[in-house]
Amino acid sequence: SVSASASASASPPDDFSQLPPAEQEEDLRRDAFQDQKVTEEKKRQEEFQRWIEQQKQHSAQEQCEAEQQLVPDSRHIVEAERHERWHEVKARAHAEGVLEAQEDKATNIWFVTTGEGQILEAQDDYWCPHCNASLNDNNLEAHLDGARHQSRTSSGSRQAEADSEPTTSAPWRSSASASALAARWRAAAAAASSTMRS
């Protein structure tokens, strides 16, 4: 009776293990192929869902951009007005004789050229020859509106005040001619370059 109960409790024989090796291999290959097909189908569905989400987002973005074009952004209006105002300030500065610095590409030194042909090494973006002042984007308009600049650019007083201004107080280094200063700058740059190579 013990042997009978033991045989009754034993698990039924596995069909796969009863198959010949060739059929087992074929069965395994078939299962792997089915698993691969299921995995590929799942991946395809996930990619399709991602594509649908991307299309929704793209459509929403296009709609948002279209609405923004219909209603101009107040920031763009303010920026355009500021840009236009800045061009007016620069045009006024130019009309009142303020010089804008330029770069010597060979030496990376910034300079301005006066009406008399003198070259002055720049310490800032602009220079006012009437007030002997270095200026930049932040203080250009305030300088133009200042009493000192306006009194020096009004007729008659400009030349008298410019003549009385001591030349040693200038934050610019002057030179007799543009070519002489440029030659000195290039020579200094060449000397520094040769020192670095050695």
Side-chain angles (χ1 to χ4, degrees):
S1 66
V2 176
S3 63
S5 62
S7 63
S9 63
S11 58
D14 184 4
D15 291 340
F16 181 78
S17 63
Q18 300 300 318
L19 294 174
E23 291 185 22
Q24 286 183 1
E25 188 178 338
E26 180 63 28
D27 201 20
L28 289 171
R29 220 180 356 253
R30 193 168 36 249
D31 288 347
F33 179 74
Q34 288 297 329
D35 289 344
Q36 183 181 359
K37 294 295 282 182
V38 169
T39 302
E40 288 177 354
E41 179 63 20
K42 184 179 178 182
K43 184 178 178 182
R44 191 186 68 78
Q45 289 292 334
E46 290 173 352
E47 288 177 352
F48 181 67
Q49 287 300 321
R50 277 198 299 270
W51 180 81
I52 289 175
E53 289 300 320
Q54 288 174 353
Q55 293 304 310
K56 287 180 181 177
Q57 291 176 0
H58 185 64
S59 177
Q61 185 179 356
E62 285 183 342
Q63 183 178 358
C64 182
E65 289 174 356
E67 289 173 357
Q68 287 178 351
Q69 289 177 355
L70 293 175
V71 181
D73 189 348
S74 61
R75 290 173 299 174
H76 294 156
I77 295 173
V78 170
E79 187 61 32
E81 290 174 350
R82 189 179 315 159
H83 188 67
E84 183 179 348
R85 173 70 182 150
W86 176 239
H87 278 291
E88 291 173 0
V89 170
K90 286 188 73 173
R92 176 186 165 196
H94 180 72
E96 293 183 17
V98 173
L99 304 174
E100 186 169 0
Q102 299 175 348
E103 183 183 15
D104 179 3
K105 300 293 185 186
T107 60
N108 295 328
I109 294 177
W110 290 80
F111 66 93
V112 293
T113 307
T114 68
E116 295 80 28
Q118 276 193 323
I119 297 291
L120 307 175
E121 184 178 349
Q123 304 299 316
D124 223 324
D125 300 325
Y126 309 94
W127 182 62
C128 177
H130 313 302
C131 307
N132 196 21
S134 294
L135 307 166
N136 57 46
D137 292 346
N138 296 322
N139 63 11
L140 178 61
E141 185 173 13
H143 176 80
L144 296 176
D145 292 336
R148 176 182 173 195
H149 176 80
Q150 290 186 0
S151 67
R152 291 182 179 206
T153 54
S154 60
S155 61
S157 63
R158 181 192 310 168
Q159 188 59 45
E161 297 216 20
D163 291 342
S164 66
E165 186 73 32
T167 56
T168 55
S169 65
W172 304 76
R173 292 197 293 273
S174 62
S175 172
S177 70
S179 58
L181 184 58
R184 283 205 307 271
W185 286 343
R186 288 187 178 90
S193 177
S194 65
T195 303
M196 289 172 60
R197 279 197 293 268
S198 61

